[in-house]
Amino acid sequence: MSTPLELKYSTLGWNHPGFGGSTGQPFPDQDQNAIDAVMKFAIHKLGFTPDNILLFGWSIGGYSSIYTAVRYPDVKGIILDATFDDILPLALPRMPESVSSIVRMAIRNYVNLHNAELLEQYQGPVRLIRRTEDEVIA
C-alpha cells in the first residue's frame, strides 16, 4: 500500500479472516462477510462512494476484490495482481494423486475460489497483472 500512499491516495487495507493476526477462519463466507464490512465502513463511516473506490487484490485477495465488485458493481474498477483464475488447478498438483478426488470435492463444495467464473458477473473495468516468474501462479 506504500505506492498509493506516497501518491497521496486514500487507502484502506485489511487481512483475510485467519491470516496474519486476524481472527476468524479462512473460508469464503467469512472472507465475504469481512470484505463487505470493510466496504460498508468505507461507504457509511468514511463517506466514500463506490465510484470512488478502486479495489486491489493480490494473490488470494483477488477473490475478495472480485466478490466485492460483483456485490458493489458501481466501484471504479478492479486491479488483480498475481491472482489465479481457479484455485483447483493450483491445488491438485500440490497434493498426492491418490487424494485428487477428495481435493476436487473439498474445493468445489467448500472453498470454490473460481475467480474467472465470478469475474464474468462484473461488467466494470479490470486490470490484470500477471507475473511470469511467480512460483505458484505462473
Side-chain angles (χ1 to χ4, degrees), residues 8 18-19 21 34 43 50 58 68 71 82-83 85-86 94 126-127 130 132-133 135:
K8 307 295 185 216
F19 282 59
I43 293 167
W58 172 68
T68 305
R71 186 153 166 80
T83 193
D85 303 326
D86 181 3
R94 286 160 181 78
V126 177
R127 167 88 35 135
R130 290 290 187 200
T132 58
E133 302 301 318
E135 58 203 38

Side-chain angles (χ1 to χ4, degrees), residues 59-75:
S59 189
I60 199 166
Y63 173 78
S64 310
S65 295
I66 298 167
Y67 169 82
T68 305
V70 169
R71 186 153 166 80
Y72 296 87
D74 294 333
V75 295

Side-chain angles (χ1 to χ4, degrees), residues 3 69 83 91 98 105 107:
T3 300
T83 193
S98 61
M105 182 275 304
I107 286 179

